[in-house]
Amino acid sequence: MTEPHPQVARALALHPLLRQGGDAVNHLRELTPPIVQALKQGGFFRMLQPRSIGGMELKPSDFAQVTEAISAADGSTGWVVCQSNGCSMSAAYLDPPVARQIFGSVDGILAWGPPGAPFEAEPVPGGYCISGTWRFASGSQNATWLGAHMKVAGTREIRTLLFPKSSATMVDIWHTLGLRGTASNEYVVKDLFVAADHTMLRDAAIDRREDGPLYRFASNQLYAAGFAGVGLGIARGLIDAFLDLPATKTSRGAAKPLRENNVVQSQLAQSEAKWHSARAFLHNTLDETYDYVIRHNEMTQRQAAMLRLASTWSIQQSREAVNTLFHCAGSAAVFEDQPFERRLRDIHTVSQQAQGRQLHYESVGQIMLGLPPENQF
């Protein structure tokens, strides 16, 4: 693997702040102001934005390494960074003046949830009138803009519409097992006008304003890469915490310390192998596809399937590594003041999200066998 992007080092430098603020993030169910400010100042919300408006336009494997590095210290922060960047890719599909209006400021952060059927956007002169309710807007507490993915009434067109957060009513619904600090709340709008130039056909070539290879990746593919990084980071954090356990730690009733237990030794080694192999699969697939896109402008369906497979596999293998070593750590792992139980909750919440679902394996297998995928992947 090539030398890490400088943004990875900046992410690692945040670890003391993230560890210090982790309990507050978990309790408040949103990122703390010092963490949000550090993320803004470090450019962590601009990693997938076009260079033409001041973004970094990172290649996908670099982006995944950054979300991994952040999540090794705090999974909720890594999740918010990934989600916010996936949303901000929309800058590449807007007219440049509009993109600069929304994202030009350090406070220009966008959040949204998945499509909220059965809501439809009604065409009106100059734009659209929308009403609806959406959920899972990760990072909503520090966003200044929100988005809605909606079918346009009378058509089959799915359009993304962007509007100031002040136009919506926020509803606190995020009381969850893990990733508690992501503030993935609900938002409601009623009879809101959205100008046509603040809307787009997301990921559609007809609306693409940027020529860089990054924007030949669909936003869902970059979400997958970034959230795979989140899973890998959570697992890395727990593996390292396990290695930091005192050399004298002995499970109740055991004749010798944990580190001298042959079963623990074997499970630790296998967990490390799962982590490294999944990470290598992810980054090799991302880089091979990125290089292909540079040469050919578009990726193949098989490459898209391999991206999905590598991302899902990374999340699932990260969960397995966390499960194994959480149990190896014994009763100490269940206490809130130990660095284990939050990571267990977080990785299981990551794997429940759409990017980590096992249904993707069926879709990839169907493509490999020359069959059309039955489900969206």
Side-chain angles (χ1 to χ4, degrees):
M1 186 176 291
T2 58
E3 191 72 18
H5 191 277
Q7 195 68 4
V8 176
R10 297 186 191 109
L12 294 172
L14 292 177
H15 278 204
L17 175 65
L18 297 179
R19 292 195 180 103
Q20 181 183 12
D23 288 342
V25 167
N26 188 58
H27 175 71
L28 296 171
R29 295 178 296 109
E30 61 181 40
L31 304 189
T32 64
I35 289 175
V36 173
Q37 188 61 27
L39 293 174
K40 290 179 179 178
Q41 291 177 344
F44 289 98
F45 294 118
R46 313 198 72 173
M47 295 187 293
L48 298 185
Q49 291 178 16
R51 294 189 188 96
S52 61
I53 64 166
M56 297 182 188
E57 211 166 315
L58 290 190
K59 71 176 185 177
S61 60
D62 289 337
F63 176 57
Q65 286 185 67
V66 175
T67 62
E68 174 196 314
I70 293 173
S71 301
D74 184 68
S76 288
T77 304
W79 185 275
V80 168
V81 167
C82 180
Q83 177 71 14
S84 299
N85 276 278
C87 294
S88 76
M89 275 187 66
S90 57
Y93 296 85
L94 296 167
D95 286 334
V98 177
R100 283 191 288 271
Q101 174 200 356
I102 295 174
F103 299 109
S105 164
V106 70
D107 295 319
I109 300 171
L110 174 64
W112 60 41
F119 310 119
E120 293 188 344
E122 293 288 341
V124 296
Y128 302 86
C129 182
I130 66 171
S131 296
T133 300
W134 294 266
R135 306 184 118 201
F136 303 109
S138 298
S140 59
Q141 96 283 358
N142 52 268
T144 50
W145 288 78
L146 296 174
H149 314 300
M150 304 180 72
K151 182 177 180 292
V152 176
T155 75
R156 295 184 178 181
E157 182 177 279
I158 303 297
R159 186 162 285 272
T160 296
L161 306 97
L162 308 184
F163 46 89
K165 180 182 171 182
S166 57
S167 303
T169 300
M170 301 302 302
V171 183
D172 180 3
I173 64 166
W174 197 244
H175 300 265
T176 58
L177 173 74
L179 297 177
R180 291 178 181 172
T182 62
S184 302
N185 284 312
E186 181 178 279
Y187 54 105
V188 182
V189 298
K190 177 69 173 175
D191 297 329
L192 176 66
F193 172 76
V194 181
D197 62 1
H198 282 60
T199 78
M200 77 201 83
L201 298 175
R202 190 166 60 117
D203 297 328
I206 191 172
D207 273 4
R208 188 189 299 143
R209 306 295 200 275
E210 297 286 335
D211 293 329
L214 178 66
Y215 304 110
R216 296 314 195 264
F217 286 72
S219 54
N220 202 38
Q221 292 168 335
L222 293 175
Y223 278 133
F227 287 137
V230 171
L232 289 165
I234 293 169
R236 186 72 257 161
L238 190 135
I239 294 170
D240 290 345
F242 184 85
L243 291 170
D244 285 340
L245 285 172
T248 57
K249 176 173 170 49
T250 304
S251 297
R252 180 174 296 179
K256 52 187 178 181
L258 197 67
R259 64 166 47 209
E260 297 179 22
N261 183 302
N262 297 141
V263 173
V264 170
Q265 293 163 355
S266 175
Q267 290 183 332
L268 172 61
Q270 291 179 63
S271 296
E272 186 78 2
K274 287 177 181 178
W275 187 86
H276 278 284
S277 59
R279 186 176 191 265
F281 181 26
L282 175 69
H283 287 289
N284 287 343
T285 304
L286 289 170
D287 284 341
E288 288 173 1
T289 305
Y290 189 79
D291 291 343
Y292 183 90
V293 166
I294 289 174
R295 298 193 304 271
H296 302 282
N297 289 324
E298 303 291 340
M299 70 181 70
T300 66
Q301 185 189 44
R302 183 180 176 84
Q303 287 172 328
M306 288 300 104
L307 289 176
R308 171 55 65 199
L309 180 60
S311 299
T312 302
W313 185 251
S314 293
I315 292 171
Q316 296 288 335
Q317 291 300 101
S318 295
R319 184 188 64 185
E320 293 305 308
V322 167
N323 285 345
T324 297
L325 294 183
F326 179 87
H327 289 292
C328 284
S331 60
V334 305
F335 289 92
E336 289 184 347
D337 63 350
Q338 295 296 312
F340 296 101
E341 64 87 27
R342 187 185 304 157
R343 289 184 168 104
L344 180 76
R345 291 189 285 103
D346 284 351
I347 194 63
H348 277 272
T349 304
V350 170
S351 65
Q352 291 292 108
Q353 197 260 1
Q355 302 295 348
R357 62 186 181 184
Q358 295 191 5
L359 186 65
H360 293 315
Y361 294 142
E362 296 179 20
S363 300
V364 173
Q366 288 161 355
I367 291 171
M368 292 177 67
L369 291 169
L371 302 171
E374 294 178 5
N375 300 290
Q376 184 179 3
F377 73 97

